[in-house]
Amino acid sequence: MKKKILVIEGDGIGKEVVPQAVKVLKKVAEKFGHEFEFDNALMGHCAIEATGEPLPEETIEKGRKFDAILFGAVGDPKYDNDPTLKVRPEQGLLKIRKTFELFANVRPIKLYDELLGASSLKPEVLSGSDIVFFRELVGGIYFGERARDDNKAHDTMEYSVSEVERIARKAFEAAMLRRKKVTSVDKANVLDCSRLWRETVTKVAEEYPEVELNHMYVDNAAMQLIKDPTQFDVVVTGNMFGDILTDEASQIAGSMGMLASASMGNEIALYEPIHGSAPDIAGQGIANPLAAILSAQMMLTLSFGMKDEADAIDNAVAQVLKDGYRGPDIKDAATPEELVVGTDAMGDLVVERV
Ligand code: NAD
């Protein structure tokens, strides 16, 4: 099969982890007789430096011609330290999501048994956790009307019935292929937006009578996630709640460096690790590339329908962990020093096992 993949490394560790995922995809193409064509494009701080825009038109134009997008992360301390800067790397990410209407962000929280000791949570609490988040990605407070003057500011959260319906359907469809349970997370005791969300999800649930639906307030969900993560199967929630809860849930998997995601619309999809540009470790060659590699694995499954190829990556990652290799972010007290590897070496280990 011939496929065109647009690669947007972005900033910080995006430039380190994405090449590892590309390396693995090239190995998969070689092994399974596919032809993957890669091209690069800019987004984020690097794009602002080069063109003045966080998402140059050229990147959008290229995106329209490709079968899928593999993305790293955007962000730079320059902007984090000066919130008054008007042109910002994250605007590129929000704009690409909106341009391609990537409304469903799918984030599997997959726990490898080998990493039970890497989490700050107790192994007996974590064991058996297997959750998929469906985060609404192009609506809610990150996209609502906003304004500020010297002593006041506001951001607006808005959701329409159709926006909630389409993400809810994705979640129920996924639940049908899993353990048939959906938890919808909102703040319906306070927010009107959440009341509309809850009513709409409840209506959509009628189309999926086999799926059990429960509703949970976001504050409770934040607590339940670390108290008893095994109670969750599919979680569906809005943009901001999903952003926060999935970072929290990354601790179930041991590290931000382990979690992949797919941002899907009706046409092209974008695959990215859930982490940011991690300026605290960027340039040191120690970022964990497995989240980026597992994002490429999601691309093979969801965009290209290549199940065996995706399994090859999945099994290779599992085997690397079984063989005892760890990045600095997922090592524990029992990890021998010689098995602690950097970004490039971790990529090579996965390639060898594919
Ligand atoms: P972050 O995800 O970049 O980092 C949070 C922590 O997790 C850091 O300690 C980092 O070292 C660690 N970490 C993240 N990915 C890792 C990996 N692959 N391997 C090992 N450790 C890893 O979040 P942050 O520090 O809040 O934000 C840094 C910058 O990234 C900011 O500019 C922010 O705006 C941006 N950001 C971008 C995205 C995105 O592009 N999707 C997402 C979140 C944050």
Side-chain angles (χ1 to χ4, degrees), residues 56 58 99 310:
E58 194 192 342
T99 302

Side-chain angles (χ1 to χ4, degrees), residues 3 6 35 113 124 133-134 183 254 264 289 310 342-343:
K3 292 288 174 194
L6 185 64
E35 202 179 313
D113 283 345
E124 61 270 29
F133 275 84
F134 280 75
T183 302
M264 311 188 68
T343 313

Side-chain angles (χ1 to χ4, degrees), residues 13 17 71-77 80 90 93 97 247 255-257 272-281 286-289 329:
I13 63 166
V17 297
F71 164 61
V74 293
D76 187 90
D80 298 334
E90 294 77 13
L93 187 54
R97 289 172 177 167
D247 263 31
S255 165
M256 297 274 274
E272 55 166 320
I274 79 154
H275 60 72
S277 58
D280 54 335
I281 58 165
I286 57 169
N288 184 344
D329 59 319

Side-chain angles (χ1 to χ4, degrees), residues 76-85 88:
D76 187 90
K78 172 174 155 186
Y79 307 88
D80 298 334
N81 298 333
D82 185 357
T84 64
L85 285 172
R88 309 181 61 78

Side-chain angles (χ1 to χ4, degrees), residues 29-344:
E30 180 196 314
K31 178 170 170 171
F32 290 88
H34 299 301
E35 202 179 313
F36 293 158
E37 181 188 324
F38 297 93
D39 194 5
N40 288 282
L42 295 175
M43 183 162 82
H45 168 66
C46 57
I48 298 173
E49 296 278 286
T51 69
E53 295 280 330
L55 180 64
E57 200 48 40
E58 194 192 342
T59 301
I60 298 173
E61 281 314 310
K62 277 189 178 175
R64 294 190 202 288
K65 298 189 193 114
F66 281 69
D67 297 308
I69 302 174
L70 180 65
F71 164 61
V74 293
D76 187 90
K78 172 174 155 186
Y79 307 88
D80 298 334
N81 298 333
D82 185 357
T84 64
L85 285 172
K86 290 262 180 313
V87 180
R88 309 181 61 78
E90 294 77 13
Q91 290 163 346
L93 187 54
L94 294 180
K95 191 171 163 196
I96 202 168
R97 289 172 177 167
K98 200 71 183 174
T99 302
F100 293 117
E101 202 60 17
L102 305 173
F103 66 87
N105 187 226
V106 189
R107 298 185 162 191
I109 311 293
K110 189 170 166 185
L111 174 68
Y112 291 89
D113 283 345
E114 293 75 19
L115 295 185
L116 272 173
S119 173
S120 50
L121 301 175
K122 291 183 195 138
E124 61 270 29
V125 172
L126 293 175
S127 187
S129 302
D130 177 9
I131 311 171
V132 180
F133 275 84
F134 280 75
R135 166 189 170 194
E136 199 290 327
L137 203 59
V138 293
I141 197 162
Y142 292 178
F143 287 93
E145 189 270 326
R146 70 191 55 185
R148 68 161 290 174
D149 58 29
D150 284 344
N151 60 13
K152 230 173 37 211
H154 72 263
D155 299 271
T156 320
M157 186 190 279
E158 191 177 303
Y159 270 117
S160 67
V161 168
S162 61
E163 282 174 322
V164 182
E165 279 173 347
R166 64 183 181 178
I167 183 78
R169 285 208 176 89
K170 288 260 185 212
F172 280 99
E173 276 156 23
M176 286 296 289
L177 302 173
R178 292 172 48 90
R179 302 193 304 278
K180 297 194 171 64
K181 183 174 177 193
V182 169
T183 302
S184 173
V185 174
D186 61 36
K187 188 71 186 164
N189 50 344
V190 178
L191 302 174
D192 258 330
C193 236
S194 282
R195 285 191 270 273
L196 179 119
W197 179 282
R198 190 174 279 223
E199 282 163 29
T200 309
V201 173
T202 304
K203 270 202 193 109
V204 170
E206 290 168 9
E207 298 166 26
Y208 303 88
E210 286 174 53
V211 179
E212 179 199 336
L213 167 69
N214 71 319
H215 299 278
M216 203 177 268
Y217 297 136
V218 62
D219 35 359
N220 184 26
M223 187 265 284
Q224 294 294 339
L225 258 180
I226 49 170
K227 181 171 177 253
D228 176 17
T230 59
Q231 71 183 283
F232 297 100
D233 177 14
V234 173
V235 178
V236 62
T237 189
N239 204 342
M240 180 166 65
F241 298 157
D243 189 3
I244 298 167
L245 290 178
T246 51
D247 263 31
E248 183 193 4
S250 74
Q251 284 315 297
I252 295 169
S255 165
M256 297 274 274
M258 292 301 300
L259 289 195
S261 84
S263 301
M264 311 188 68
N266 293 321
E267 292 166 32
I268 196 163
L270 178 147
Y271 297 86
E272 55 166 320
I274 79 154
H275 60 72
S277 58
D280 54 335
I281 58 165
Q284 298 176 34
I286 57 169
N288 184 344
L290 294 179
I293 291 170
L294 291 168
S295 301
Q297 186 260 357
M298 290 184 81
M299 174 189 290
L300 297 184
T301 313
L302 298 173
S303 280
F304 303 162
M306 296 179 179
K307 190 173 176 322
D308 292 346
E309 293 82 339
D311 285 350
I313 298 184
D314 218 7
N315 294 336
V317 168
Q319 194 57 49
V320 168
L321 298 172
K322 269 200 196 93
D323 292 343
Y325 294 101
R326 302 284 185 271
D329 59 319
I330 48 172
K331 70 174 183 183
D332 60 26
T335 312
E337 211 40 50
E338 65 275 15
L339 293 183
V340 180
V341 294
T343 313
D344 235 24

